Amino acid sequence: MKKFLFSVLLCSAILSLNAQLKTITDLPVILDNYLYTGNRVVANIIYGGEGVYEITEGKKLVEVKGNQIVLTEKGEKLISKKKRIAFSLATREANGAPAKTFILLADEFQKNPVVAHRGAWKHSGMPENSIGALKHAVKLGCAGSEFDVQMTSDDSLIINHDASYKGKNIESNSFSELAKTNLENGEPLPTLRQYLVAGMQQQGTKLVLEVKPSDKNRDRALLRARKIVELVHSMGAQAWIMYISFDYDILKEIRRIDPYAHLQFLNGNKSPLELKADKMDGLDYHFSVFRKNENWIREAIDNKLALNTWTVNDTPTLQYFLSQKFDFITTNEPELLFEEWKKATTTK
Ligand code: MG
């Protein structure tokens, strides 16, 4: 009998713990904006349930008014000078979700169309997708630096383009097995966390995060989408991130969790209107797709979708997309694109 009672108690304890965890993971507190552009009302709080919000850290910098995050006078001075502030927000609910920390930035992101594809590696001698290549893209002043995220057999998130790293299939090998070999420049195989830590040391270059599809199954693909968003949120990196993917289900899963994440589809087989209906906010298609469907450029602009294209490396094609006023052009030749962009903007 005692044993039975103990099992019942244990089960109900686990169930109530699960109920709490469900609240944390399924209904995370989300803000609709993370950039300060001169308005003291910085963001609205978006939450799936009823909640009373409370600032637990950073009370002198921000306050909650209704469902808005408003900078205090001190917060406003600080964000103008230090360019970023952090605060934590909690909800007071029956099953109490924990406090979540957010980072707000002064909007100092570069205003140019240059996205370095896998970082700026070609003329810097850095390996593709290395932290070194990211740092070089930052140094060049690129508006964005793109990188690819894969997930290992033990659910670690790492940066690599191909499904294999140094001859080992990533989805079938553990992180410790894969990390035995460094990149060509001696850098350890970067984890997503390390990559974000490096990217968040600056605030001029956005981090264009490609979520690679899974070769195994849909569940693994959606799991990697959730784990990536969870990490981005836990690090307060939302202001830096633009998500891209060839896998539409991955983007839809990110949208389900975060209604304000920036999402661009890569695969080229959906019209701007279809993307808009699914609440995507941009299209990042191969340049040949836009050549075949030039009307999609106008359709995207009319529907306020961001326009991005890959991977454009030659002068005439770069000039074409500059003349079409693309928001972003993803390239292995960021230095060349800067030259062409400067020419295009000074001849006006
Ligand atoms: Mg990529």
Side-chain angles (χ1 to χ4, degrees), residues 117-118 129 146-148 161 210 212 244 246 266:
H117 181 235
R118 307 179 196 168
N129 273 315
E146 188 262 2
F147 57 101
D148 303 291
H161 178 265
E210 180 176 348
K212 284 289 178 190
I244 58 176
F246 281 95
L266 290 169

Side-chain angles (χ1 to χ4, degrees), residues 170-198:
I170 293 172
E171 287 196 86
S172 311
N173 279 280
S174 66
F175 174 71
S176 60
E177 187 57 39
L178 295 160
K180 282 179 183 166
T181 321
N182 288 346
L183 305 185
E184 289 82 356
N185 62 341
E187 224 181 80
L189 171 64
T191 63
L192 177 58
R193 181 182 291 279
Q194 290 162 343
Y195 202 89
L196 294 179
V197 166

